[in-house]
Amino acid sequence: MAKQPMLKFVSLERSMPTKRDADQRNQDFHEIYAEFASAKAAEQSSRCSQCGVPYCQNHCPLHNNIPDWLKLTAEGRLQEAYELSQATNTFPEICGRICPQDRLCEGNCVIEQSGHGTVTIGAVEKYLTDTAWENGWVLPIQPKVEREESVGIIGAGPGGLAAADVLRRQGVQVTIYDRYDRAGGLLTYGIPGFKLEKDVVLKRIAQLEDAGVKFVLNCNVGEDISFQAIQGQHDSVLIATGVYNSRDFQAPGSGAEGVVRAIDYLTASNRKSFGDDVPEFESGELNAEGKRVVVVGGGDTAMDCVRTAIRQGAKSVKCLYRRDKANMPGSQREVQNAEEEGVEFVWLSAPKAFVGDTVESVLVQKMRLGKPDASGRQSPELIEGADYTEDADLVVAALGFTPEDLPTLWGEEALEVTRWGTIKADFRTHETSISGVFAVGDIVRGASLVVWAIKDGRDAAENILDHLNNATAQAAE
Ligand SMILES: Cc1cc2nc3c(=O)[nH]c(=O)nc-3n(C[C@H](O)[C@H](O)[C@H](O)COP(=O)(O)OP(=O)(O)OC[C@H]3O[C@@H](n4cnc5c(N)ncnc54)[C@H](O)[C@@H]3O)c2cc1C
Ligand code: SF4
């Protein structure tokens, strides 16, 4: 049996609290929380049956050695458990927080499938790495040798950062270019802080900076510097630019004031959490406080929008989705979280028109599910005459993202793209149609997951190292 956490009682005196009282309460809270978290991690880890058919591991994109680090955690060997978990994952504390575990490792846990509730693998992974940071087990990146070759990475999201980590450890000179003023990509400006605290991301960026990775921020490649100039300055280039073209509403009235894009709404909210001056938030344009909010979409971005609106003090929050709950692309766990927080889901519904110069309502058309489409999912079909009106002061479009047209924006026709506009990269090596130029993450996969961007970044970095080594060997011949 796992040891139960000790309960501590903090006296509740009625006198005015001093700063010292507050500090003490903070410390008490952290001690109680640390004991609780440690007991919980041990308890969960000891539930792993060590089944010998590690479906969890096979369904983790990084193939983390989950059973072994759960065993070490159950035995209280936390530092060893952490070392094993970080051997295959560059940012375990980030994945532990935001992987859709119900679709990956935990959804395939044998105990879950036998109906006894999954081992909470993500929570243990987060706990191990948070503990490692607190105890100084996360070591600085110190290359044994410095190499002369340099790699230019375009995009400071998880794909670019994971590649930078691998390359820098091998002594390669790394420069990351990003058009935002902060690094982190969607970890910083997309995913809300209640799912992923920003100091967790900042700590990793600081680790890379301390290791000598150069960040060139506010630098939009294609505008502030050309792609060709980056190619000329580095021995190899990695493209990790993500996908940022928002799909917009096609319905009449979609240009009304108060109809906004999810990425703008979430970026404003994240910027506020950094303490930035955000005029669109202050003016109320991108702030849900006191408003009747309608979010349209069924993916994780939509879930982030509805949960952000709740936290901003919206009067009501509804989520319209054209299919039903079973056919949502987003994580069911996220839907459950949103429902518990007071979000109302309106299934089988899509906007037909937006009413008002400043939006006042959405004309909603009801749908039913018809025959499966090419993807195997049932297609939504219109139900004639079943329209109704949904009042709204703020409508957020969370309809997904497509890639920007990089060959045109960068004047680089040799950079081949697929018919969806994603960059064509070799499945195994991640090399693009241009020799020495590699690509990873969403710009190759289309909108995907952080853990896949990390996997791609790590794998591409290994192939970039091979490319650099081959070039050096050829030069020496
Ligand atoms: C709202 C939202 C919530 C999400 N929640 C989750 C989640 O909970 N769990 C999960 O696993 N995944 C989630 N995702 C998906 C996940 O964030 C992405 O799959 C992942 O961030 C992709 O990583 P990336 O490195 O390919 O690109 P990104 O993280 O998008 O980073 C790309 C970077 O490239 C920069 N860039 C782009 N073009 C240029 C240019 N021309 N010049 C310079 N810099 C450029 C951008 O500024 C950005 O910083 C979410 C996505 C969104 C939109
Ligand atoms: S990286 Fe994601 S999928 Fe893999 S073990 Fe961690 S939480 Fe699960």
Side-chain angles (χ1 to χ4, degrees):
M1 278 292 285
K3 188 173 153 259
Q4 290 302 310
M6 291 272 293
L7 286 180
K8 291 191 176 176
F9 293 95
V10 183
S11 81
L12 295 171
E13 286 178 15
R14 292 269 162 205
S15 55
M16 283 292 285
T18 63
K19 180 171 179 308
R20 214 162 143 259
D21 292 335
D23 289 347
Q24 185 60 49
R25 269 200 301 278
N26 264 342
Q27 198 184 328
D28 284 339
F29 171 79
H30 285 300
E31 275 177 28
I32 294 169
Y33 178 74
E35 281 179 27
F36 177 74
S38 143
K40 198 83 192 148
E43 179 202 311
Q44 279 298 317
S45 302
S46 63
R47 290 184 62 235
C48 173
S49 66
Q50 299 290 321
C51 59
V53 279
Y55 294 124
C56 56
Q57 183 169 0
N58 295 342
H59 285 84
C60 164
L62 293 161
H63 296 304
N64 284 342
N65 190 345
I66 300 164
D68 283 358
W69 49 255
L70 286 177
K71 187 163 185 285
L72 289 166
T73 308
E75 289 169 1
R77 294 159 67 185
L78 296 185
Q79 187 167 357
E80 290 165 81
Y82 155 71
E83 277 161 10
L84 195 57
S85 85
Q86 62 86 51
T88 46
N89 191 350
T90 318
F91 309 126
E93 72 281 32
I94 294 179
C95 292
R97 282 170 166 85
I98 49 118
C99 269
Q101 286 104 3
D102 55 342
R103 304 202 306 253
L104 302 171
C105 53
E106 294 181 12
N108 292 280
C109 166
V110 166
I111 299 187
E112 166 79 0
Q113 292 183 348
S114 66
H116 293 89
T118 180
V119 174
T120 56
I121 297 165
V124 176
E125 191 178 27
K126 161 185 178 297
Y127 167 73
L128 285 175
T129 317
D130 286 352
T131 307
W133 277 107
E134 278 161 25
N135 289 284
W137 304 336
V138 182
L139 302 176
I141 300 167
Q142 282 171 335
K144 289 203 182 70
V145 287
E146 286 294 342
R147 295 178 60 144
E148 280 181 3
E149 303 101 316
S150 79
V151 174
I153 298 179
I154 310 174
L161 296 177
D165 180 285
V166 173
L167 291 167
R168 193 58 204 122
R169 283 176 199 275
Q170 297 304 316
V172 174
Q173 311 307 313
V174 179
T175 303
I176 307 186
Y177 303 84
D178 201 291
R179 63 184 171 196
Y180 279 142
D181 56 345
R182 290 186 177 92
L186 290 171
L187 302 177
T188 297
Y189 283 136
I191 301 174
F194 59 83
K195 274 169 63 183
L196 176 60
E197 308 91 305
K198 300 302 158 186
D199 59 330
V200 171
V201 182
L202 292 178
K203 234 180 334 191
R204 285 297 183 179
I205 293 163
Q207 187 194 27
L208 288 168
E209 262 174 338
D210 292 347
V213 172
K214 288 193 205 93
F215 286 88
V216 183
L217 300 175
N218 296 307
C219 177
N220 191 354
V221 174
E223 267 183 26
D224 300 312
I225 182 171
S226 69
F227 172 73
Q228 295 74 11
I230 290 182
Q231 260 187 308
Q233 284 171 25
H234 300 282
D235 299 288
S236 182
V237 175
L238 177 69
I239 304 170
T241 48
V243 288
Y244 284 88
N245 263 343
S246 297
R247 285 200 189 95
D248 287 329
F249 292 126
Q250 300 303 322
S254 58
E257 221 172 280
V259 179
V260 303
R261 291 177 175 158
I263 192 71
D264 298 337
Y265 174 65
L266 293 171
T267 304
S269 174
N270 277 315
R271 281 196 180 282
K272 275 311 291 177
S273 73
F274 280 108
D276 291 359
D277 192 18
V278 187
E280 303 83 3
F281 185 89
E282 321 304 347
S283 71
E285 188 188 333
L286 296 174
N287 181 359
E289 190 179 356
K291 293 187 177 158
R292 295 162 303 177
V293 178
V294 170
V295 175
V296 183
D300 289 335
T301 302
M303 296 310 104
D304 288 346
C305 292
V306 291
R307 297 185 70 199
T308 299
I310 291 275
R311 282 161 179 76
Q312 288 177 347
K315 197 164 159 191
S316 65
V317 184
K318 295 191 180 180
C319 182
L320 300 191
Y321 180 55
R322 63 197 178 128
R323 291 189 169 93
D324 62 1
K325 189 173 182 176
N327 285 286
M328 273 184 90
S331 159
Q332 292 292 328
R333 198 179 277 181
E334 281 293 288
V335 178
Q336 191 186 334
N337 288 336
E339 279 176 332
E340 283 169 7
E341 290 169 8
V343 174
E344 188 187 324
F345 285 86
V346 189
W347 308 112
L348 294 163
S349 306
K352 186 173 183 179
F354 301 93
V355 182
D357 290 338
T358 298
V359 72
E360 293 160 11
S361 61
V362 184
L363 184 61
V364 179
Q365 53 193 8
K366 293 300 291 176
M367 323 287 284
R368 67 171 155 248
L369 290 181
K371 294 205 177 91
D373 61 16
S375 72
R377 286 196 306 166
Q378 284 179 281
S379 313
E381 292 171 356
L382 276 182
I383 304 177
E384 292 297 340
D387 302 350
Y388 75 99
T389 299
E390 193 78 75
D391 291 338
D393 312 302
L394 177 65
V395 179
V396 184
L399 306 174
F401 301 93
T402 56
E404 288 155 280
D405 180 1
L406 292 186
T408 307
L409 287 172
W410 291 355
E412 190 54 74
E413 292 306 319
L415 186 64
E416 286 180 21
V417 294
T418 65
R419 64 191 163 108
W420 299 280
T422 48
I423 294 183
K424 263 191 198 171
D426 184 284
F427 177 69
R428 208 175 40 80
T429 64
H430 299 271
E431 194 164 16
T432 67
S433 50
I434 306 174
S435 171
V437 176
F438 296 74
V440 294
D442 283 3
I443 190 60
V444 176
R445 292 178 178 273
S448 178
L449 293 174
V450 169
V451 65
W452 280 114
I454 295 173
K455 158 106 177 105
D456 287 354
R458 291 170 65 94
D459 290 352
E462 296 296 342
N463 286 293
I464 292 173
L465 286 168
D466 285 348
H467 174 83
L468 297 177
N469 292 340
N470 289 342
T472 309
Q474 274 172 15
E477 275 171 14

